[in-house]
Amino acid sequence: MSNDNNTHPFGPVIYTYTRAQAVADGFQIEVTKTAQEAGIKFPMFITRAVWDAYVAVPPEVTGQDEAGRCWDVVWMTRFGIIRHRQNGDRVPVALYVRNADNRPARLVKLVAVCGPLDIDDPAPAITVMLPDED
């Protein structure tokens, strides 16, 4: 009897969803170019939930654009990485975002996670997400 547990200890893979598929489906947005401009060397992605809530500019907000708001998320992620002093792959990210009727900005808390670029590519990549996203 052959034991295939050495290659698949939990049994055969039923389904995989790659980062490439998530980007193609719009669930993640690649912001690597902006990240490189901010001094981050790893590929970087923002989840759709973060993009929709804090990068996309609500119609009632004036004087802002997506490029600037994306820069704010990336730059504050860089700042969070530099200041992070604990072990682990989750880094807290905090920034102020103005989202409604041009009222004062409010504090937003996100999480940056470092993990593999994709299922078949273990190179490191950063994903910025809401604290309750996985």
Side-chain angles (χ1 to χ4, degrees), residues 1 4 8 14 19-22 36 55 77 81 88 92 96 105 114 120 124 127:
M1 180 167 127
D4 198 28
H8 299 288
I14 297 170
R19 185 185 303 270
Q21 289 172 307
Q36 289 172 340
V55 177
T77 299
I81 291 167
Y96 284 90
C114 186
D120 59 351
T127 306

PDB file of all heavy atoms in Angstrom, residues 1 4 8 14 19-22 36 55 77 81 88 92 96 105 114 120 124 127:
ATOM      1  N   MET A   1       0.831  -1.170   0.000  1.00  0.00           N
ATOM      2  CA  MET A   1       0.000   0.000   0.000  1.00  0.00           C
ATOM      3  C   MET A   1       0.879   1.238   0.000  1.00  0.00           C
ATOM      4  O   MET A   1       1.776   1.384   0.798  1.00  0.00           O
ATOM      5  CB  MET A   1      -0.902  -0.038   1.233  1.00  0.00           C
ATOM      6  CG  MET A   1      -1.795   1.150   1.319  1.00  0.00           C
ATOM      7  SD  MET A   1      -3.061   0.848   2.556  1.00  0.00           S
ATOM      8  CE  MET A   1      -2.839   2.274   3.537  1.00  0.00           C
ATOM      9  N   ASP A   4       0.636   8.279   0.343  1.00  0.00           N
ATOM     10  CA  ASP A   4       0.872   9.544  -0.349  1.00  0.00           C
ATOM     11  C   ASP A   4       0.908  10.719   0.632  1.00  0.00           C
ATOM     12  O   ASP A   4       0.919  11.864   0.237  1.00  0.00           O
ATOM     13  CB  ASP A   4      -0.222   9.766  -1.407  1.00  0.00           C
ATOM     14  CG  ASP A   4       0.179  10.799  -2.437  1.00  0.00           C
ATOM     15  OD1 ASP A   4       1.394  10.952  -2.673  1.00  0.00           O
ATOM     16  OD2 ASP A   4      -0.715  11.454  -2.981  1.00  0.00           O
ATOM     17  N   HIS A   8       1.135  14.967   0.187  1.00  0.00           N
ATOM     18  CA  HIS A   8      -0.123  15.634   0.505  1.00  0.00           C
ATOM     19  C   HIS A   8      -0.588  15.169   1.886  1.00  0.00           C
ATOM     20  O   HIS A   8      -1.454  14.304   1.995  1.00  0.00           O
ATOM     21  CB  HIS A   8      -1.205  15.303  -0.534  1.00  0.00           C
ATOM     22  CG  HIS A   8      -0.853  15.729  -1.913  1.00  0.00           C
ATOM     23  ND1 HIS A   8      -0.839  17.043  -2.307  1.00  0.00           N
ATOM     24  CD2 HIS A   8      -0.478  15.012  -3.001  1.00  0.00           C
ATOM     25  CE1 HIS A   8      -0.488  17.122  -3.575  1.00  0.00           C
ATOM     26  NE2 HIS A   8      -0.254  15.907  -4.012  1.00  0.00           N
ATOM     27  N   ILE A  14      -8.170  20.178  -3.182  1.00  0.00           N
ATOM     28  CA  ILE A  14      -9.502  20.217  -3.789  1.00  0.00           C
ATOM     29  C   ILE A  14      -9.650  21.430  -4.686  1.00  0.00           C
ATOM     30  O   ILE A  14     -10.183  21.353  -5.777  1.00  0.00           O
ATOM     31  CB  ILE A  14     -10.589  20.219  -2.692  1.00  0.00           C
ATOM     32  CG1 ILE A  14     -10.517  18.926  -1.902  1.00  0.00           C
ATOM     33  CG2 ILE A  14     -11.963  20.414  -3.289  1.00  0.00           C
ATOM     34  CD1 ILE A  14     -11.372  18.913  -0.660  1.00  0.00           C
ATOM     35  N   ARG A  19      -3.159  34.277  -6.329  1.00  0.00           N
ATOM     36  CA  ARG A  19      -3.167  35.729  -6.295  1.00  0.00           C
ATOM     37  C   ARG A  19      -3.396  36.280  -7.703  1.00  0.00           C
ATOM     38  O   ARG A  19      -4.121  37.252  -7.886  1.00  0.00           O
ATOM     39  CB  ARG A  19      -1.867  36.289  -5.735  1.00  0.00           C
ATOM     40  CG  ARG A  19      -1.950  37.821  -5.596  1.00  0.00           C
ATOM     41  CD  ARG A  19      -0.652  38.446  -5.172  1.00  0.00           C
ATOM     42  NE  ARG A  19      -0.108  37.961  -3.948  1.00  0.00           N
ATOM     43  CZ  ARG A  19      -0.358  38.465  -2.741  1.00  0.00           C
ATOM     44  NH1 ARG A  19      -1.201  39.463  -2.607  1.00  0.00           N
ATOM     45  NH2 ARG A  19       0.239  37.970  -1.682  1.00  0.00           N
ATOM     46  N   ALA A  20      -2.810  35.631  -8.699  1.00  0.00           N
ATOM     47  CA  ALA A  20      -3.019  36.067 -10.081  1.00  0.00           C
ATOM     48  C   ALA A  20      -4.505  36.053 -10.431  1.00  0.00           C
ATOM     49  O   ALA A  20      -5.013  36.975 -11.091  1.00  0.00           O
ATOM     50  CB  ALA A  20      -2.225  35.187 -11.045  1.00  0.00           C
ATOM     51  N   GLN A  21      -5.217  35.034  -9.974  1.00  0.00           N
ATOM     52  CA  GLN A  21      -6.662  34.982 -10.209  1.00  0.00           C
ATOM     53  C   GLN A  21      -7.378  36.094  -9.436  1.00  0.00           C
ATOM     54  O   GLN A  21      -8.302  36.715  -9.961  1.00  0.00           O
ATOM     55  CB  GLN A  21      -7.228  33.616  -9.797  1.00  0.00           C
ATOM     56  CG  GLN A  21      -6.833  32.492 -10.718  1.00  0.00           C
ATOM     57  CD  GLN A  21      -7.246  31.139 -10.161  1.00  0.00           C
ATOM     58  OE1 GLN A  21      -6.920  30.798  -9.025  1.00  0.00           O
ATOM     59  NE2 GLN A  21      -7.975  30.371 -10.968  1.00  0.00           N
ATOM     60  N   ALA A  22      -6.946  36.349  -8.209  1.00  0.00           N
ATOM     61  CA  ALA A  22      -7.562  37.407  -7.401  1.00  0.00           C
ATOM     62  C   ALA A  22      -7.369  38.773  -8.057  1.00  0.00           C
ATOM     63  O   ALA A  22      -8.280  39.594  -8.074  1.00  0.00           O
ATOM     64  CB  ALA A  22      -6.992  37.402  -5.989  1.00  0.00           C
ATOM     65  N   GLN A  36       7.188  50.800  -4.942  1.00  0.00           N
ATOM     66  CA  GLN A  36       8.599  50.997  -5.279  1.00  0.00           C
ATOM     67  C   GLN A  36       8.985  52.463  -5.164  1.00  0.00           C
ATOM     68  O   GLN A  36      10.062  52.800  -4.675  1.00  0.00           O
ATOM     69  CB  GLN A  36       8.892  50.464  -6.671  1.00  0.00           C
ATOM     70  CG  GLN A  36       8.859  48.959  -6.745  1.00  0.00           C
ATOM     71  CD  GLN A  36       8.958  48.423  -8.170  1.00  0.00           C
ATOM     72  OE1 GLN A  36       8.693  49.121  -9.136  1.00  0.00           O
ATOM     73  NE2 GLN A  36       9.334  47.155  -8.283  1.00  0.00           N
ATOM     74  N   VAL A  55      -9.333  54.123  -0.914  1.00  0.00           N
ATOM     75  CA  VAL A  55      -8.581  54.651  -2.058  1.00  0.00           C
ATOM     76  C   VAL A  55      -9.534  55.298  -3.061  1.00  0.00           C
ATOM     77  O   VAL A  55      -9.298  56.428  -3.495  1.00  0.00           O
ATOM     78  CB  VAL A  55      -7.729  53.548  -2.738  1.00  0.00           C
ATOM     79  CG1 VAL A  55      -7.023  54.099  -3.966  1.00  0.00           C
ATOM     80  CG2 VAL A  55      -6.704  52.976  -1.747  1.00  0.00           C
ATOM     81  N   THR A  77       1.861  52.378   5.051  1.00  0.00           N
ATOM     82  CA  THR A  77       2.268  50.978   5.194  1.00  0.00           C
ATOM     83  C   THR A  77       3.776  50.911   5.381  1.00  0.00           C
ATOM     84  O   THR A  77       4.276  50.198   6.258  1.00  0.00           O
ATOM     85  CB  THR A  77       1.830  50.146   3.980  1.00  0.00           C
ATOM     86  OG1 THR A  77       0.402  50.188   3.879  1.00  0.00           O
ATOM     87  CG2 THR A  77       2.292  48.709   4.085  1.00  0.00           C
ATOM     88  N   ILE A  81       5.747  49.466   8.616  1.00  0.00           N
ATOM     89  CA  ILE A  81       6.779  48.424   8.528  1.00  0.00           C
ATOM     90  C   ILE A  81       8.049  48.880   9.238  1.00  0.00           C
ATOM     91  O   ILE A  81       8.652  48.129  10.006  1.00  0.00           O
ATOM     92  CB  ILE A  81       7.066  48.062   7.054  1.00  0.00           C
ATOM     93  CG1 ILE A  81       5.858  47.347   6.448  1.00  0.00           C
ATOM     94  CG2 ILE A  81       8.327  47.217   6.936  1.00  0.00           C
ATOM     95  CD1 ILE A  81       5.906  47.221   4.926  1.00  0.00           C
ATOM     96  N   GLY A  88       6.490  38.375  13.594  1.00  0.00           N
ATOM     97  CA  GLY A  88       5.239  38.017  12.945  1.00  0.00           C
ATOM     98  C   GLY A  88       5.126  38.659  11.579  1.00  0.00           C
ATOM     99  O   GLY A  88       5.935  39.498  11.192  1.00  0.00           O
ATOM    100  N   PRO A  92       0.482  46.491  11.814  1.00  0.00           N
ATOM    101  CA  PRO A  92      -0.618  47.449  11.845  1.00  0.00           C
ATOM    102  C   PRO A  92      -0.282  48.688  11.006  1.00  0.00           C
ATOM    103  O   PRO A  92       0.857  49.143  10.993  1.00  0.00           O
ATOM    104  CB  PRO A  92      -0.757  47.801  13.327  1.00  0.00           C
ATOM    105  CG  PRO A  92       0.543  47.420  13.952  1.00  0.00           C
ATOM    106  CD  PRO A  92       1.157  46.362  13.091  1.00  0.00           C
ATOM    107  N   TYR A  96      -5.162  58.618   8.375  1.00  0.00           N
ATOM    108  CA  TYR A  96      -6.397  59.398   8.400  1.00  0.00           C
ATOM    109  C   TYR A  96      -6.941  59.510   6.988  1.00  0.00           C
ATOM    110  O   TYR A  96      -6.195  59.789   6.046  1.00  0.00           O
ATOM    111  CB  TYR A  96      -6.147  60.787   8.985  1.00  0.00           C
ATOM    112  CG  TYR A  96      -6.015  60.749  10.487  1.00  0.00           C
ATOM    113  CD1 TYR A  96      -4.780  60.556  11.091  1.00  0.00           C
ATOM    114  CD2 TYR A  96      -7.136  60.891  11.296  1.00  0.00           C
ATOM    115  CE1 TYR A  96      -4.662  60.508  12.464  1.00  0.00           C
ATOM    116  CE2 TYR A  96      -7.027  60.842  12.678  1.00  0.00           C
ATOM    117  CZ  TYR A  96      -5.790  60.649  13.252  1.00  0.00           C
ATOM    118  OH  TYR A  96      -5.673  60.593  14.625  1.00  0.00           O
ATOM    119  N   ALA A 105     -10.951  64.287   8.461  1.00  0.00           N
ATOM    120  CA  ALA A 105     -10.532  62.896   8.265  1.00  0.00           C
ATOM    121  C   ALA A 105     -10.677  62.115   9.569  1.00  0.00           C
ATOM    122  O   ALA A 105     -10.585  62.668  10.656  1.00  0.00           O
ATOM    123  CB  ALA A 105      -9.084  62.865   7.792  1.00  0.00           C
ATOM    124  N   CYS A 114       2.826  40.103   5.178  1.00  0.00           N
ATOM    125  CA  CYS A 114       3.852  39.635   4.248  1.00  0.00           C
ATOM    126  C   CYS A 114       3.698  38.134   4.091  1.00  0.00           C
ATOM    127  O   CYS A 114       3.624  37.395   5.082  1.00  0.00           O
ATOM    128  CB  CYS A 114       5.239  39.978   4.773  1.00  0.00           C
ATOM    129  SG  CYS A 114       6.553  39.585   3.599  1.00  0.00           S
ATOM    130  N   ASP A 120       2.613  29.272  -6.410  1.00  0.00           N
ATOM    131  CA  ASP A 120       3.804  28.663  -7.009  1.00  0.00           C
ATOM    132  C   ASP A 120       5.022  29.571  -6.963  1.00  0.00           C
ATOM    133  O   ASP A 120       6.033  29.287  -7.594  1.00  0.00           O
ATOM    134  CB  ASP A 120       3.501  28.240  -8.448  1.00  0.00           C
ATOM    135  CG  ASP A 120       3.068  29.422  -9.308  1.00  0.00           C
ATOM    136  OD1 ASP A 120       2.833  30.519  -8.752  1.00  0.00           O
ATOM    137  OD2 ASP A 120       2.959  29.244 -10.531  1.00  0.00           O
ATOM    138  N   PRO A 124       8.562  36.982  -1.378  1.00  0.00           N
ATOM    139  CA  PRO A 124       7.699  37.760  -0.488  1.00  0.00           C
ATOM    140  C   PRO A 124       6.901  38.835  -1.218  1.00  0.00           C
ATOM    141  O   PRO A 124       7.361  39.437  -2.182  1.00  0.00           O
ATOM    142  CB  PRO A 124       8.683  38.392   0.503  1.00  0.00           C
ATOM    143  CG  PRO A 124      10.002  38.334  -0.155  1.00  0.00           C
ATOM    144  CD  PRO A 124       9.973  37.208  -1.127  1.00  0.00           C
ATOM    145  N   THR A 127       0.460  42.408   1.336  1.00  0.00           N
ATOM    146  CA  THR A 127      -0.955  42.634   1.066  1.00  0.00           C
ATOM    147  C   THR A 127      -1.517  43.514   2.171  1.00  0.00           C
ATOM    148  O   THR A 127      -1.373  43.192   3.352  1.00  0.00           O
ATOM    149  CB  THR A 127      -1.735  41.310   1.019  1.00  0.00           C
ATOM    150  OG1 THR A 127      -1.112  40.429   0.078  1.00  0.00           O
ATOM    151  CG2 THR A 127      -3.182  41.542   0.615  1.00  0.00           C
TER     152      THR A 127
END
